[in-house]
Amino acid sequence: MAYPMPLFYQEQDTVTRDLEYLQEMYPAEAKKYQKVIAEILDRLDYEGSMIYDEYPDKWQIYRLTRVVVEKLQQDESAEPGQQDWNRISEFVQVLLCGEIYKKRHMNQNGVLKF
């Protein structure tokens, strides 16, 4: 191939669209959690942030999970209901790791790079 770069970016665009499409299929609760996670990670999106460490610290991930869960608990206090926060915390941690992965592999143009 004489000019492989345009095809490379075309594949990157396909990956991004595929990921966004699959995230749209998340259940309503997951979308709500993901929105809070994205807001918190946007505040941590700076050079030298722990989300860009080569090996992020497990305890920092736990702490960040706790911050997200506390924010969700504050939002839920307005809506009465019984929640299993231990299970929600585990689910939030999985979503958080996925969002960190996505942030770590985005370039300046908003295209995922692998």
Side-chain angles (χ1 to χ4, degrees), residues 3-99:
Y3 302 103
M5 290 307 285
L7 292 177
F8 174 75
Y9 289 115
Q10 188 176 26
E11 289 175 19
Q12 294 287 345
D13 188 45
T14 302
V15 170
T16 304
R17 276 186 286 134
D18 192 33
L19 178 63
E20 289 172 354
Y21 173 74
L22 291 172
Q23 286 178 338
E24 287 175 13
M25 295 171 46
Y26 281 179
E29 274 309 288
K31 285 181 184 178
K32 182 170 72 170
Y33 300 161
Q34 185 181 19
K35 183 178 178 183
V36 172
I37 290 168
E39 290 171 3
I40 290 173
L41 286 181
D42 284 345
R43 285 185 262 153
L44 292 173
D45 194 5
Y46 56 87
E47 188 175 333
S49 173
M50 59 80 64
I51 63 175
Y52 296 114
D53 289 347
E54 185 175 357
Y55 297 103
D57 184 39
K58 183 191 321 187
W59 299 111
Q60 290 286 10
I61 299 294
Y62 288 152
R63 186 190 65 77
L64 202 50
T65 300
R66 190 71 215 143
V67 168
V68 172
V69 169
E70 287 172 359
K71 171 79 169 118
L72 291 170
Q73 286 174 332
Q74 288 175 355
D75 294 345
E76 287 288 322
S77 65
E79 303 171 9
Q82 189 70 345
Q83 299 287 345
D84 183 3
W85 290 105
N86 289 331
R87 295 185 87 189
I88 290 173
S89 179
E90 289 177 358
F91 183 57
V92 164
Q93 187 173 351
V94 170
L95 287 174
L96 178 65
C97 289
E99 286 296 311

